[in-house]
Amino acid sequence: MQNVQALGANWVFFAPSWTYNRASPLEFGLAPEQDQFWLDSAIMISQARAANLNVGLFPIPHFTTTAADPSTSSGPRFWAGGPRDEAWWQNWFEHYRAFAVNYADLAAQTGSQALILGGDWLDPALPDGTLADGSPSGVPADAEARWSAIISEVRQHFGGKVWWALPYTPGGLQTPLNFFQSTDGIYLLWNAPLATQAGASKEDMANQAGQLLDNEVSPLPSILNKPLIIALAYPSASGMTTGCPSDGRGGCLDWSALNQPNNPDSVSLDLQSQSDLYEAMLNAINTRAWVGGVVSRGYYPPAMLQDKSASVHGKLAADLLWYWFPRLTGVVK
């Protein structure tokens, strides 16, 4: 917390989790071997609040079904493994409701300021949802009403801000769903490539960042009339500028596949490219007043590591945040 505070940040976001042990029959709950206990989360939140940091909770799931496939953490095998019939979906929404309410209670009891629902793993469960191969997920026709009911119940337990985590893919940002209107803002999950080929200059990447923000993202906060936070996730690994860290089989790894304890041999350490990507995004964000904030995802608290993960702890990118955070928050003019 002292390190985060020293960077000039005014928020810290925690990502507590439950685990999907299987898709059929559905098992979703806290797995002690990899999910944080309530008390542990409460202690960390207390430490953040003691450091005068605002706190947001972004609960996410783990998927044991993808352990053998480091290319993704969004659970396509989980979704493909369930029958996804009417009874299964009813069970799924009940489990997610319990998951969301559990962390709404944690946020309320610890004095947190925000709770983030959604995420890049949820596409199959959204209205007109699709699986990874593009086929329909079979989500119920009343999915939008179900989501609105969950958000409404969360608000009964937690009086702070409720944001929705929306994944951003260049050219693929869909028209906002109606239930976004019942949230307080958008937490845009961003790891977009800023170059089409390796060796692009920082100026070219900054220009690309600006074009993506202006052409594809800027309509979102005006349409919704809600704030938008950009949550960056750029590992310090080769291939990130073009959005394709190699999986060694001709494909691309998901950014989270590079986080601890993973260390794929198919990509190499590249601290400078992470710093360049952050510099391009921070310069672009600084000149666009409609962006409500910027977050660095994947921070690894236990240690400063010169690894391939998205954590900026102890890396070149952290120096940029140390410069930019106080200026973006207005502490330094």
Side-chain angles (χ1 to χ4, degrees):
M1 293 308 158
Q2 291 175 346
N3 179 260
V4 172
Q5 187 183 43
L7 290 177
N10 58 353
W11 279 83
V12 62
F13 294 86
F14 295 104
S17 60
W18 283 5
T19 294
Y20 281 104
N21 284 311
R22 66 178 66 184
S24 183
L26 186 66
E27 288 186 10
F28 183 40
L30 189 140
E33 67 275 11
Q34 62 179 351
D35 299 326
Q36 200 169 60
F37 287 106
W38 178 290
L39 179 60
D40 295 325
S41 295
I43 290 172
M44 292 181 67
I45 294 168
S46 175
Q47 291 172 344
R49 301 290 291 127
N52 294 318
L53 293 166
N54 297 304
V55 173
L57 299 185
F58 181 16
I60 57 174
H62 287 133
F63 295 91
T64 58
T65 52
T66 59
D69 183 5
S71 65
T72 179
S73 65
S74 58
R77 291 187 182 180
F78 164 79
W79 293 110
R84 302 191 312 280
D85 54 19
E86 182 178 353
W88 188 90
W89 277 113
Q90 178 66 28
N91 197 17
W92 187 91
F93 274 102
E94 289 176 357
H95 278 77
Y96 187 89
R97 184 206 63 79
F99 175 61
V101 167
N102 175 76
Y103 287 109
D105 287 338
L106 176 63
Q109 293 181 25
T110 55
S112 300
Q113 282 73 33
L115 176 68
I116 305 171
L117 304 179
D120 54 5
W121 64 284
L122 266 177
D123 281 354
L126 299 181
D128 302 316
T130 58
L131 301 178
D133 61 5
S135 62
S137 65
V139 66
D142 65 346
E144 190 166 303
R146 296 184 188 219
W147 280 113
S148 295
I150 289 173
I151 294 171
S152 177
E153 185 171 355
V154 162
R155 289 195 181 281
Q156 295 174 23
H157 290 253
F158 174 59
K161 301 294 185 182
V162 178
W163 295 334
W164 187 267
L166 180 67
Y168 170 68
T169 301
L173 193 61
Q174 298 178 352
T175 303
L177 301 171
N178 289 336
F179 69 74
F180 284 8
Q181 296 296 339
S182 58
T183 67
D184 297 306
I186 299 299
Y187 189 79
L188 195 67
L189 306 177
W190 182 291
N191 63 318
L194 300 183
T196 56
Q197 57 186 11
S201 68
K202 287 191 285 187
E203 182 180 3
D204 288 341
M205 289 194 291
N207 289 336
Q208 176 65 6
Q211 290 178 19
L212 292 176
L213 289 171
D214 291 339
N215 297 337
E216 299 191 16
V217 181
S218 63
L220 197 57
S222 59
I223 290 172
L224 294 173
N225 193 28
K226 296 178 187 297
L228 180 140
I229 310 298
I230 295 181
L232 303 175
Y234 283 124
S236 48
S238 59
M240 283 309 304
T241 57
T242 58
C244 186
S246 173
D247 65 0
R249 305 188 299 270
C252 306
L253 291 171
D254 183 78
W255 73 272
S256 60
L258 301 171
N259 289 338
Q260 288 291 328
N262 302 320
N263 185 29
D265 295 330
S266 55
V267 296
S268 57
L269 179 68
D270 193 339
L271 298 172
Q272 188 62 53
S273 72
Q274 182 190 43
S275 178
D276 291 346
L277 286 161
Y278 264 87
E279 184 173 354
M281 287 301 301
L282 289 166
N283 276 297
I285 289 168
N286 183 51
T287 57
R288 288 158 175 85
W290 50 266
V291 177
V294 60
V295 174
S296 175
R297 297 182 69 198
Y299 184 92
Y300 186 71
M304 295 186 291
L305 298 177
Q306 302 292 293
D307 66 350
K308 305 168 189 176
S309 77
S311 175
V312 299
H313 194 182
K315 298 178 182 176
L316 295 174
D319 295 334
L320 286 172
L321 295 178
W322 173 83
Y323 174 85
W324 275 109
F325 274 162
R327 287 160 175 81
L328 292 170
T329 58
V331 174
V332 174
K333 303 297 184 182

